[in-house]
Amino acid sequence: MLRHLARCPYPFGWQALARNPRTPAYLLGELCSRRDSTWNGNRLLRLVVEHPNADRAVLLGVLDELGNRLRTSTSRPYAAVLLLAGRPELMPDEVRHLAALPGASARMRGGLRRRLARRESTSGG
């Protein structure tokens, strides 16, 4: 059933899947590249980043997608960027480059710096 929902053409189905705690990581990875509208796409990425089954591979897929969106300045996926910065599966340096992309706002850059600094101070690194 979850696999069928992942392949449906409707963003509300993808979002329901991303909210379902039983969704496995491989299906979350498939959701990273789904596109409907800017708002739905950004919300979907945020939900995937928040998902407890999102492993390193899934989060790297989200990181790539966020980089693509910020490079083209076609959307503002700032909430997903800030949540991704808090995920321990990724190193701070892997996420930090998002601040330098053309679509990054000053507010997003500041929030990203603060979140990464908080992580580095609590990890002792």
Side-chain angles (χ1 to χ4, degrees):
M1 177 59 97
L2 295 176
R3 196 172 302 123
H4 175 70
L5 193 56
R7 288 169 181 78
C8 83
Y10 306 111
F12 63 84
W14 308 331
Q15 291 174 18
L17 191 60
R19 282 190 306 270
N20 185 327
R22 294 183 181 202
T23 301
Y26 79 93
L27 286 179
L28 293 170
E30 288 182 21
L31 295 176
C32 292
S33 61
R34 299 277 194 248
R35 291 192 180 229
D36 171 64
S37 67
T38 299
W39 189 88
N40 283 328
N42 291 343
R43 183 165 195 264
L44 181 61
L45 289 175
R46 182 181 57 80
L47 291 169
V48 170
V49 171
E50 291 176 319
H51 200 283
N53 292 338
D55 59 13
R56 180 172 168 74
V58 169
L59 296 174
L60 286 171
V62 172
L63 180 66
D64 287 343
E65 186 62 31
L66 290 171
N68 290 336
R69 292 180 186 196
L70 289 170
R71 241 178 247 103
T72 60
S73 300
T74 58
S75 71
R76 295 185 164 100
Y78 303 152
V81 168
L82 296 178
L83 289 169
L84 192 65
R87 292 295 300 248
E89 295 88 347
L90 298 180
M91 300 299 296
D93 286 341
E94 291 176 301
V95 181
R96 188 172 279 119
H97 81 280
L98 296 175
L101 297 177
S105 70
R107 189 173 183 180
M108 189 209 88
R109 289 190 300 269
L112 184 59
R113 276 192 301 273
R114 284 188 298 279
R115 287 193 184 215
L116 293 176
R118 197 174 317 135
R119 270 188 63 192
E120 291 169 335
S121 70
T122 59
S123 70

